[in-house]
Amino acid sequence: MIRGAVSILPLAFGAALYGFAFGLLAAQVGFTWWGVGLMSASVHAGSSQIVAVEQLAATGTVLGAVLAGVALNLRYVGIVASLADVLDGLPLRLRLIAIHITGDENWALTMAERAKSPDVGAAFLMGSGLVMISVWTASTALGAVIGAVLPDLERFGLGFAFTAAFIAMARGLWRGRSRALPWAVAAGATIAAISLGAPRAYGIVAGALCGLVAISLMRRRRAAAR
């Protein structure tokens, strides 16, 4: 757990920056600091929180915001499934805790370290996850505290912090032009869905599904060529 907690610190620092920005903007649309902190601790998914807050600010409907966040979090079904071997043997209570504190960053780090060393397992995942959820909750709540007493921050372009964070995350996942097709398909499907009037969260889900189909077809074609 200590190894996981130390290894995740650089990623936690990056999450703290855009978590702070999220807290600032959430306060600007009316969220209290404790509401932001509670949301971060219970949802613990930055991208879906951002989309949910934007949806709530745009439409004023709680149900729409919840559905938007849930739609974007569907990717965690696959993430949790990939952790079956890691969590095998843990009591149900610890498995549920591990699943809750698993985010994109500590999941990716755990799987990368596990590929290099098979002894990396649930303890590493939970140590890194506890750091991430603590940093994320604290940074978003702090951002909301400061955002509540500052003037409108959108005019300073702070909203671009989320876009910049997602660009940085995408850059880390880039594996070269040979795998550009699924990216292009996902982007095209997302743009098409939103252009047709679908909510942005569902546009992202549509893009992800189309990207997965593209990956599957590419793998089948390569397998057939062999």
Side-chain angles (χ1 to χ4, degrees), residues 130-178:
L130 286 171
V131 169
M132 285 300 301
I133 194 171
S134 299
V135 169
W136 176 253
T137 302
S139 63
T140 55
L142 178 61
V145 169
I146 296 176
V149 297
L150 291 180
D152 183 15
L153 297 169
E154 281 285 6
R155 61 193 180 96
F156 298 113
L158 191 61
F160 186 72
F162 302 132
T163 304
F166 284 123
I167 290 173
M169 290 169 65
R171 179 64 186 87
L173 295 171
W174 179 252
R175 294 295 181 268
R177 287 180 293 179
S178 63

Side-chain angles (χ1 to χ4, degrees), residues 85-119:
D85 290 340
V86 177
L87 302 178
D88 186 39
L90 286 182
L92 177 60
R93 141 176 126 269
L94 290 181
R95 269 184 284 171
L96 292 175
I97 293 173
I99 289 169
H100 178 63
I101 63 177
T102 294
D104 295 318
E105 294 88 354
N106 70 309
W107 167 76
L109 180 64
T110 299
M111 300 308 283
E113 291 297 315
R114 188 172 173 82
K116 294 185 288 186
S117 177
D119 65 319

